[in-house]
Amino acid sequence: MFHSIKRILHLSGEYKSKVKKGILLGILESIFSCAPLLFMLFFIRDMINDELTVSNILIYTVTFAISILIQFILHYRETAAISSVGYEVIAQKRKDIAVFLKKIPMGDFVGKSLGEINAIVTNELTQIELYAMQLVSKVISSITILVITIVFLGILNIPMTIAFFIGFPISFVINKVSHKMYIKSANTKIEAESYLINNTVEYTQGVATVKAYNNGRNHSERMKGVFKEFANKTIKADAKVIPLLQGYALFMYLGFGVVLSLGTYLLMNNKIDFSVFLMFAVIGVHIYQPFEILSSYSGTLKAMEVSLDRLEYLMKFSPLKEPKEDVRADNFSVEYQDVTFGYTKEPIIRNLSFKAGENTTTAIVGASGSGKTTLIQLMMRFWDIDKGNIKIGGRNIYDYKIETLMKYISVVFQDNYLFNDTVYNNIIYGNENAKKEDVIRAAELACCHEFINKLPNGYDTMVGEGGSTLSGGERQRIAIARAIIKDSPIIILDEATSGVDPINEVEIQKAISELIKGKTVFTIAHKFSSITDADQILVLDQGQLREKGTHEELTKKDGIYRSLWERQLGVNKWTIRSN
């Protein structure tokens, strides 16, 4: 329990002093909440001894009222100090995670489901956000009340105080077992929740395919099964713990019967005062409540430890190494020197070397799986290479801070992601310091200003998650506008016109022409007709650089590029024969 509290306090970071202040106020509140025990003892003794007077009653009443008032003030200040801390801590933690994830190699997330990561960042942190800080305060307050009560009763009569806890050895064992069950139950529920989220996300993302293949009924039945499985696992996990909690309470409350029997015996033999017997009889009903509360909180803390474990699991990945001192590039030539990289032990890129001069265009071609996209992503440090060097402006990319490196590079992917925000905010995402006229200018250069003005709210139109309300060509041009306004010296085009219709392709090519002016450009393309003017073409095959040269040079050789060019040229000359 105290280990859990220590972990939560560690999580609170810069807010730790605020949490400690709340805990201290909670302890003081607990002390004053025990004051009625003392007043009750004096009142009972005065009443039994026929010494109860109006002045005594007045003193007890006023003192009791003052203690309640102080307790109320302390409770108010404790709540004010600690109630918002959970939200502040987790808000900061979510910011830290967002920054942290940007610095993690993409490879660390290969094989991780979206549901698993989403459950950690949202649900797990929400549980901590809602309950962690309050639990810490309540647990320590309950312990304080328990200690004061036991000390108070022990002063009155030690044997009867000990008798309260005669069933605790068995309760303790049951409690230990229940804690293990809590952890197992929490893990089961979290795994079921991750599976549920993952399947729900998959279903919503694939709903177009479901409709297209008229398979909605089968998919709906599958989702019903997923929901039912989640409910069954959650119910079964909780059901296993409930009997243990009941057993814990049963053996704990056995002590109260022993106290009454022992107290009766001592009273009949004049070994205790009747007032003491009454105190034990009255307090005995309530003495177990802190234990029940602690047991309940303890189980919740154990479940929360699972959430903390999963959070730490997410945060354990090693971020990409950055230099202490940042540098700036003098020029924007790019050089690969004997670069080798593999997602696993098997290399994808093997001993690859080339140089792209500043303000030149380098096209990368090859069969699917030859390593084209991987080669470019290594420059952006989506992964770190195994061997060799990659240099920008003559400096190793490891000499630049990640933020600086990414300022130098803009990417237009084949399938660009737009945020569920306005068109304006999606464009300005490339440069948040840009002015409105800069956004409009970028949109004009990207050939999307005209269609944006036709949208319901123009630049203030929401585009939906992933840009779902726009066509593929429209999304692509907005992404190019975003890259134009970022104005990075290195441009990467990853099959930027693949899969778009001819009309959109013409508009996108115009936008790309504006984007790449005066830049160092890398383009991955399947349509060789778009790269005939490239300063150099790299031909990859199974992660190795097989050929390098201009279009004219490579078509004169009897090699891979010429073969691919002739095949594509032949396809382009196909005609439909009519009889």
Side-chain angles (χ1 to χ4, degrees):
M1 181 182 294
F2 288 105
H3 176 67
S4 303
I5 293 172
K6 185 177 179 181
R7 291 182 68 184
I8 292 172
L9 285 174
H10 177 72
L11 179 72
S12 60
E14 62 185 275
Y15 299 97
K16 188 180 293 184
S17 60
K18 200 171 182 180
V19 176
K20 288 182 176 179
K21 178 183 176 182
I23 290 172
L24 178 61
L25 290 169
I27 291 173
L28 293 174
E29 179 202 348
S30 301
I31 292 172
F32 278 93
S33 71
C34 293
L37 295 178
L38 193 61
F39 301 144
M40 188 186 301
L41 177 62
F42 292 151
F43 183 85
I44 291 173
R45 281 185 175 175
D46 285 350
M47 186 175 61
I48 292 173
N49 297 329
D50 199 22
E51 295 177 356
L52 196 61
T53 63
V54 174
S55 60
N56 287 345
I57 294 175
L58 184 60
I59 291 171
Y60 296 151
T61 302
V62 171
T63 310
F64 180 79
I66 291 173
S67 68
I68 293 296
L69 178 62
I70 294 173
Q71 182 185 346
F72 173 80
I73 293 171
L74 290 169
H75 178 73
Y76 173 79
R77 294 194 62 186
E78 176 206 1
T79 304
I82 209 168
S83 60
S84 63
V85 173
Y87 297 101
E88 292 171 328
V89 168
I90 299 307
Q92 184 59 49
K93 183 56 65 176
R94 286 194 173 108
K95 292 177 185 176
D96 293 343
I97 290 173
V99 173
F100 179 76
L101 290 180
K102 290 197 302 183
K103 298 181 179 181
I104 300 300
M106 295 287 288
D108 283 348
F109 292 102
V110 174
K112 307 293 188 303
S113 71
L114 179 61
E116 181 182 3
I117 297 172
N118 186 55
I120 294 171
V121 177
T122 56
N123 296 13
E124 305 305 318
L125 286 179
T126 298
Q127 289 297 314
I128 299 170
E129 181 179 52
L130 292 175
Y131 305 116
M133 303 308 161
Q134 291 87 343
L135 277 176
V136 170
S137 178
K138 296 302 180 185
V139 166
I140 294 178
S141 295
S142 296
I143 292 172
T144 303
I145 292 172
L146 187 60
V147 169
I148 292 173
T149 304
I150 291 173
V151 170
F152 176 73
L153 293 177
I155 292 171
L156 296 178
N157 190 281
I158 293 177
M160 289 182 67
T161 304
I162 294 173
F164 271 121
F165 309 110
I166 198 167
F168 265 61
I170 299 176
S171 291
F172 179 79
V173 173
I174 295 174
N175 198 39
K176 282 289 184 183
V177 175
S178 69
H179 285 174
K180 292 181 180 179
M181 293 298 296
Y182 260 119
I183 294 174
K184 188 175 180 180
S185 170
N187 277 314
T188 299
K189 288 192 283 188
I190 288 171
E191 289 171 5
E193 189 174 53
S194 298
Y195 182 72
L196 173 66
I197 293 172
N198 201 47
N199 277 273
T200 303
V201 170
E202 182 186 51
Y203 177 74
T204 54
Q205 289 179 338
V207 70
T209 303
V210 173
K211 288 183 177 181
Y213 285 87
N214 195 27
N215 202 20
R217 183 174 180 179
N218 290 336
H219 217 86
S220 295
E221 290 299 320
R222 178 190 166 193
M223 286 306 300
K224 287 179 183 178
V226 171
F227 293 135
K228 186 175 181 180
E229 182 181 355
F230 172 74
N232 289 339
K233 284 186 176 180
T234 304
I235 292 169
K236 287 180 180 178
D238 287 337
K240 290 178 180 178
V241 179
I242 292 173
L244 293 172
L245 295 177
Q246 296 300 316
Y248 170 79
L250 173 65
F251 285 100
M252 183 170 58
Y253 274 94
L254 284 176
F256 183 56
V258 176
V259 168
L260 291 179
S261 300
L262 178 61
T264 302
Y265 171 79
L266 294 175
L267 185 63
M268 291 175 65
N269 288 276
N270 297 319
K271 292 186 178 180
I272 59 170
D273 293 335
F274 185 63
S275 59
V276 173
F277 177 80
L278 285 178
M279 286 297 297
F280 274 88
V282 172
I283 295 175
V285 179
H286 303 286
I287 194 172
Y288 299 113
Q289 287 182 357
F291 285 104
E292 289 185 343
I293 293 171
L294 285 173
S295 177
S296 174
Y297 288 165
S298 178
T300 306
L301 282 170
K302 289 294 181 183
M304 198 162 289
E305 280 224 41
V306 176
S307 297
L308 290 169
D309 288 340
R310 289 170 68 83
L311 175 61
E312 289 176 3
Y313 159 77
L314 181 64
M315 299 294 287
K316 78 175 182 179
F317 297 115
S318 300
L320 294 168
K321 294 181 180 179
E322 293 187 273
K324 292 181 179 179
E325 300 293 331
D326 200 9
V327 295
R328 294 289 184 271
D330 297 325
N331 65 82
F332 296 98
S333 62
V334 177
E335 184 176 5
Y336 280 59
Q337 298 176 336
D338 298 318
V339 172
T340 297
F341 168 77
Y343 300 112
T344 59
K345 292 182 180 180
E346 185 66 25
I348 299 295
I349 304 295
R350 297 178 177 86
N351 301 318
L352 194 146
S353 299
F354 72 89
K355 184 172 182 178
E358 186 176 32
N359 300 335
T360 63
T361 297
T362 298
I364 305 171
V365 301
S368 295
S370 59
K372 303 186 295 296
T373 299
T374 300
L375 181 69
I376 293 303
Q377 288 177 340
L378 294 177
M379 186 199 311
M380 297 184 284
R381 293 196 67 186
F382 278 17
W383 289 269
D384 277 344
I385 60 178
D386 299 326
K387 295 179 182 177
N389 295 292
I390 300 176
K391 294 182 177 181
I392 293 178
R395 293 181 178 274
N396 197 304
I397 57 173
Y398 298 136
D399 293 338
Y400 301 103
K401 286 188 175 292
I402 302 295
E403 187 175 346
T404 299
L405 181 66
M406 295 315 299
K407 282 181 180 178
Y408 291 155
I409 303 172
S410 287
V411 189
V412 179
F413 295 104
Q414 176 182 348
D415 186 15
N416 287 282
Y417 188 89
L418 299 184
F419 298 98
N420 186 20
D421 205 335
T422 63
V423 173
Y424 182 89
N425 287 339
N426 270 284
I427 294 175
I428 206 171
Y429 189 80
N431 179 7
E432 294 182 352
N433 295 321
K435 298 177 181 178
K436 186 173 182 179
E437 52 265 32
D438 298 325
V439 173
I440 294 174
R441 175 62 178 159
E444 289 173 342
L445 292 174
C447 303
C448 57
H449 177 69
E450 185 176 346
F451 87 75
I452 291 173
N453 281 329
K454 292 179 181 179
L455 295 173
N457 297 308
Y459 281 85
D460 293 326
T461 302
M462 297 292 290
V463 301
E465 185 176 355
S468 58
T469 63
L470 303 175
S471 70
E474 289 170 342
R475 287 198 300 271
Q476 204 75 334
R477 279 179 274 168
I478 288 175
I480 292 172
R482 183 164 62 192
I484 288 174
I485 205 170
K486 185 181 178 184
D487 195 28
S488 297
I490 299 173
I491 304 295
I492 296 172
L493 305 172
D494 190 352
E495 300 183 23
T497 61
S498 177
V500 299
D501 59 82
I503 296 175
N504 268 306
E505 184 175 359
V506 171
E507 295 298 317
I508 291 171
Q509 287 291 3
K510 290 179 183 177
I512 288 174
S513 298
E514 293 295 333
L515 172 64
I516 65 176
K517 285 181 179 178
K519 311 290 185 183
T520 303
V521 181
F522 293 86
T523 178
I524 299 172
H526 285 151
K527 296 179 181 179
F528 287 8
S529 58
S530 65
I531 59 171
T532 55
D533 294 331
D535 295 291
Q536 66 174 342
I537 299 172
L538 309 179
V539 183
L540 299 188
D541 180 45
Q542 296 182 353
Q544 292 183 299
L545 180 59
R546 300 294 188 183
E547 299 174 12
K548 180 174 68 172
T550 64
H551 172 75
E552 289 75 13
E553 291 170 345
L554 294 175
T555 51
K556 291 177 182 178
K557 296 179 181 179
D558 186 16
I560 297 173
Y561 182 82
R562 178 176 173 178
S563 175
L564 293 171
W565 168 255
E566 287 178 349
R567 287 183 198 174
Q568 197 167 104
L569 193 65
V571 169
N572 291 338
K573 291 181 178 179
W574 282 359
T575 59
I576 299 175
R577 185 174 63 187
S578 59
N579 294 326

